Amino acid sequence: MDNEDADLILLDRVEKVFEVRRRTGFLRAERRQVRAVDSLSFSVRRGEMVGYIGPNGAGKSTTVKMLTGILTPSGGRLRVAGIDPSRERTRLARRIGVVFGQRTTLWWDLPLIDSYRLMHRMYRIPDGRYRENLDRCVELLDLGDLLDVPVRQLSLGQRMRGDIAAALLHDPEVLYLDEPTIGLDVISKARVREFLRDLNAERGTTVLLTTHDLTDIEQLCRRVMVIDHGRLVYDGSPAGLHEVGESERTLVVDLERELPPIEAEPARVVKVEGPRQWLAFPASESAAPLVARIAARYPLVDLSVREPDIEAVISRMYAGRAVS
Amino acid sequence: MGTGRLYAAVAVGGFRRYATYRIATAAGVFTNTVFGLILAYIFIALWDDRPHLGGYDQAQALSYVWLGQALLMVVAVMGGGFEDELIERIRTGDIAIDLYRPADLQLWWLAQDAGRALFHLLGRGVVPLAFGALFFDLALPVDPLAWIAFLVAVALGVVVSFALRFLVALCAFWLLDGAGVAQLAWIAGIFCSGMLLPLNVFPGVLGEVVRALPWSSLIQAPVDVLLGTADLPRTYLFQAAWAAALLAAGRLVQSAATRRVVVQGG
Amino acid sequence: MVSPARNGTRPVERGPADAVWAPQGRYEQVREGLRAYRMIAAMWIRSTMAYRASFAMTAFGNFAATALDFAAILLMFSQVDRLGGYSLPEVAFLYGVSGTAFGFADLAFGSMDRLGRRVRDGTLDTLLVRPAPVLAQVAADRFALRRLGRITQGLLVLGYAVAVLDVSWTPLKVLMIPLMLLSGGVIFAAVFVGGAAFQFVAQDASEVQNSFTYGGSTLLQYPPTVFATELLRGVTFVFPIAFVNWLPALYVLGRPYPLDLPTWVAFAPPLVAAVCCVPAGLAWRAGLRSYRSTGS
């Protein structure tokens, strides 16, 4: 029996096997089985906000596609709100919201509000509820001035906010977000994150978030799952992820001229290329004092801080595990 | 020297780009063959009734059908080459970047289109023609010189076609959405290239007009060169004159467009 | 049914699941499909109207482009009196019926040849998470009123043919015209759906679909006597587009039947149309299933 209240999303040894044809000659092709998702089991409770991360091709989007009913699993058991997504796709569609990061579902040449009116009718949202939800999204996502603007004229950040609102008008119980902050400027990122936090806290909407931006996870999720090669390799707090992965940030420094490697604890130079140097330092350390120290002693022209990316964290996770 | 190599590389890129779509190519060959079949039967009925229509005998008329299908994509009668991308770049404003490149805009796209045409000649042209030759009595010459002369006429036809489509694409600088103009050009191309019916079958003044328009360089001219029903120097001169005139017009419009982009600041 | 009692996190006042409306059965599904189709088509019409000048041009272009086919026929008749033994009004009749029937299917399903592109760029997924039948959503995609140009042109030629044809019209013969247009439209629609289903397997093969749709309607614009018997057999028994206009029109025109077919085949188009929908629907379902199991 499903204990639906506890586990809104439930995966029990879910598998997805693709048959890939690879061209080996002009007309010859080789068939090969690829296990995109390999005996994956996890559950997400109602009201949780979970980060779901992993390198490209790890099986993230395959999982989300199975959860939304787009793909049929090859094996195992999968339930979302008690529904088998692949069997009752359209019934499930009314209870979930999906935001595909790079693919907008808004009508390109029409004012934003027109797309919402379509959602209103397509999802048969009662008038009062639609009004209420729309007003709320408009207020919190700051869409007021944008409703009458054709979508093609919106910036990437505005469009993403518009897409998120479109996915929430029918009060979904689960919201799947695929790279919601990719390509957004700092202000838009902050606004989207704030909105998602509120949504989760006040409405209790369950959120599953795939992203490449670790900051998204750190600021939003109390739980993160890491998938690699179709398997769950980590399930716990974002902080624990850093511990396991001992992740590092990178400070890229442009000096006035070529100089010997910079000495500044706790950072260490990992790469030198002419006047540009790359310094790695623990992600837990603040960058500010480090920058100040370097600026005091070296002729600094420009600098930037790179956040650790998922790939780096995961590769370190493996390295760490091999050592211990 | 260096620039020549650059454009050669662009042409190779154009060739490769189309060569990656194997299934699309096979599907296209299938379509050309189906339409070739339909037209062939219609032409047989026509030439049964009027054995020397347009100065062709039936074998020549059938050759026209299959050569026409073979050339359709090569000379891009219905568009669908570089111009869609160029229109898109103009629409999105990316064109500003292209204009500041050291390479010449028109030559760049011409090189790319030449690569595309060569691919379509091999990928889309050979099979339908072979199919036609296998199942119908065609009047194809065996003299390799005739084929070389044909290829020269095809090359000139590709340049004329390119120059026309370049002009069409540049309209997007002035129109918000170039689809309408592209469609009108498409219609003109279908009607005036001789894709539906050989231009020498068109009656009276209409015939005279369509034969004098640039589109007759696309299919009619190369086919007549191959079948030996054309005066070779005159045909080449006709094609080359249109190519030069249209390329020059393209340059003029391009410089007007460049000024516009500069004024608007991209 | 699901009845979520909410505890744990702070509750939302109303449980959305309770208000969820779900279609039941086949009839409801069809109704839902039509409803979604209407809504999406309306959105596309409004989108097109954002570029009015372009719409006017493409609508005219659509009309003119289809008119070219007929211009070619007129050019042929400027050189000959009969084509395959048929006079110009007779060919115009065939043309008008084929063009209009194809125009109906093209208006309603013409965008389905874009399915392959949607599969390739992944935008099909955005349709699969909507609570509406995918077929309806794909068919309504890029719904374009400019395609009325084709229907208009077909009807004009048909009107001309009916006006000048030397036929003694009986009520039955008159009735044959709407019957052909509707059945023919459905037959072509089945071809569109079947072709789209094929694109689940071969995403770049939209041209194959074009050979059957555009190629088929072009074929039917000419008299059957022009073509080889094997081709006639093929389009009668295998890929039965001969029922769009040829077989029923021969009855109207009072012409002999090819392939020794009996006269009653003239009245078979509605039945053939209904039968065509079965393989098309099955192909669509199989295609969608294969997409959902492979993801590409």
Side-chain angles (χ1 to χ4, degrees), chain B residues 241-265:
Chain B
W242 268 121
L246 290 166
L247 285 175
R251 292 235 144 228
L252 276 175
V253 178
Q254 182 188 328
S255 60
T258 311
R259 272 198 301 278
R260 197 180 147 83
V261 169
V262 172
V263 169
Q264 284 186 342

Side-chain angles (χ1 to χ4, degrees), chain B residues 67 70-71 74-75 117 121 147-161 217-219 221-223 225-226 236 239:
Chain B
L67 286 166
L71 288 180
V74 181
V75 295
L121 186 66
W147 286 94
I148 291 167
F150 167 71
L151 289 178
V152 172
V154 171
L156 285 167
V158 169
V159 178
V160 172
S161 159
S217 304
L218 306 190
I219 292 179
V223 172
V225 166
L226 185 67
Y236 282 167
Q239 289 183 297

Side-chain angles (χ1 to χ4, degrees), chain B residues 188-221:
Chain B
I190 292 175
F191 190 73
C192 305
S193 65
M195 169 193 155
L196 298 165
L197 209 57
L199 297 180
N200 40 16
V201 174
F202 283 43
V205 185
L206 180 64
E208 312 247 326
V209 172
V210 290
R211 285 192 290 273
L213 290 174
W215 289 280
S216 70
S217 304
L218 306 190
I219 292 179
Q220 187 72 47

Side-chain angles (χ1 to χ4, degrees), chain B residues 21 24 27 30-31 35 38 41-42 46 49-50 53 124 176-177 183-184 186-187 190-191 197 201-203 206, chain C residues 51 54 57-58 61-62 64-65 68 75-76 78-80 82 204-205 207-208 211-212 214-215 218 222 226-228:
Chain B
Y21 298 110
F30 181 76
T31 310
F35 274 89
I38 295 171
Y41 283 116
I42 296 166
L46 270 176
D49 204 83
R50 289 278 311 273
L53 189 57
R124 296 278 300 258
L176 186 59
D177 175 21
Q183 191 166 26
L184 290 184
W186 181 69
I187 290 166
I190 292 175
F191 190 73
L197 209 57
V201 174
F202 283 43
L206 180 64
Chain C
Y51 303 98
S54 207
M57 254 171 135
T58 49
N62 193 271
L68 285 184
L75 284 173
M76 290 175 196
S78 77
Q79 306 286 358
V80 297
R82 291 191 165 253
D204 291 331
E207 283 245 36
V208 172
S211 356
F212 287 101
Y214 292 90
T218 306
Y222 293 88
V226 165
F227 300 98

Side-chain angles (χ1 to χ4, degrees), chain C residues 46-258:
Chain C
R46 293 162 49 113
S47 292
T48 337
M49 290 308 159
Y51 303 98
R52 261 164 220 274
S54 207
F55 169 73
M57 254 171 135
T58 49
F60 172 76
N62 193 271
F63 176 87
T66 45
L68 285 184
D69 293 341
F70 193 64
I73 291 175
L74 288 176
L75 284 173
M76 290 175 196
F77 276 93
S78 77
Q79 306 286 358
V80 297
D81 293 327
R82 291 191 165 253
L83 189 61
Y86 280 59
S87 67
L88 177 60
E90 288 175 308
V91 174
F93 185 69
L94 293 176
Y95 179 98
V97 173
S98 162
T100 311
F102 181 68
F104 286 146
D106 183 46
L107 178 69
F109 291 90
S111 298
M112 293 206 68
D113 64 355
R114 294 176 49 86
L115 182 84
R117 194 183 305 193
R118 273 195 172 274
V119 169
R120 239 182 302 142
D121 66 17
T123 51
L124 185 67
D125 292 345
T126 60
L127 305 184
L128 278 157
V129 298
R130 295 246 179 271
V134 185
L135 178 60
Q137 294 188 71
V138 173
D141 187 32
R142 306 225 158 205
F143 181 85
L145 275 186
R146 64 160 188 277
R147 297 197 176 114
L148 285 172
R150 184 183 290 277
I151 298 178
T152 313
Q153 194 265 342
L155 284 173
L156 282 175
V157 175
L158 183 59
Y160 155 79
V162 170
V164 298
L165 262 182
D166 186 20
V167 163
S168 51
W169 290 99
T170 61
L172 189 59
K173 284 189 177 183
V174 173
L175 191 69
M176 286 300 273
I177 292 176
L179 178 124
M180 283 190 282
L181 296 185
L182 290 178
S183 317
V186 174
I187 292 174
F188 273 125
V191 179
F192 271 110
V193 173
F198 181 61
Q199 289 183 42
F200 278 117
V201 188
Q203 285 115 54
D204 291 331
S206 67
E207 283 245 36
V208 172
Q209 178 165 12
N210 291 344
S211 356
F212 287 101
T213 51
Y214 292 90
S217 79
T218 306
L219 178 79
L220 298 178
Q221 289 164 2
Y222 293 88
T225 46
V226 165
F227 300 98
T229 335
E230 300 81 54
L231 194 62
L232 292 185
R233 246 182 226 126
V235 295
T236 307
F237 301 113
V238 183
F239 177 64
I241 53 170
F243 290 88
V244 170
N245 65 346
W246 278 353
L247 300 176
L250 293 182
Y251 169 79
V252 176
L253 300 173
R255 285 199 164 258
Y257 274 75

Side-chain angles (χ1 to χ4, degrees), chain A residues 4 16 72 114 121 124, chain C residues 2 32 35 46 292-293:
Chain A
E4 203 206 301
K16 184 68 201 173
T72 319
D114 288 21
R121 295 182 55 209
R124 295 177 200 270
Chain C
V2 195
E32 271 298 280
R35 180 173 178 272
R46 293 162 49 113
R292 294 182 57 205
S293 66

Side-chain angles (χ1 to χ4, degrees), chain A residues 193-214:
Chain A
R193 285 179 192 145
E194 193 188 315
F195 177 81
L196 293 175
R197 217 173 4 239
D198 284 0
L199 177 81
N200 176 251
E202 287 175 23
R203 309 224 103 191
T205 306
T206 311
V207 179
L208 190 70
L209 176 81
T210 71
T211 184
H212 264 85
D213 189 340
L214 273 184

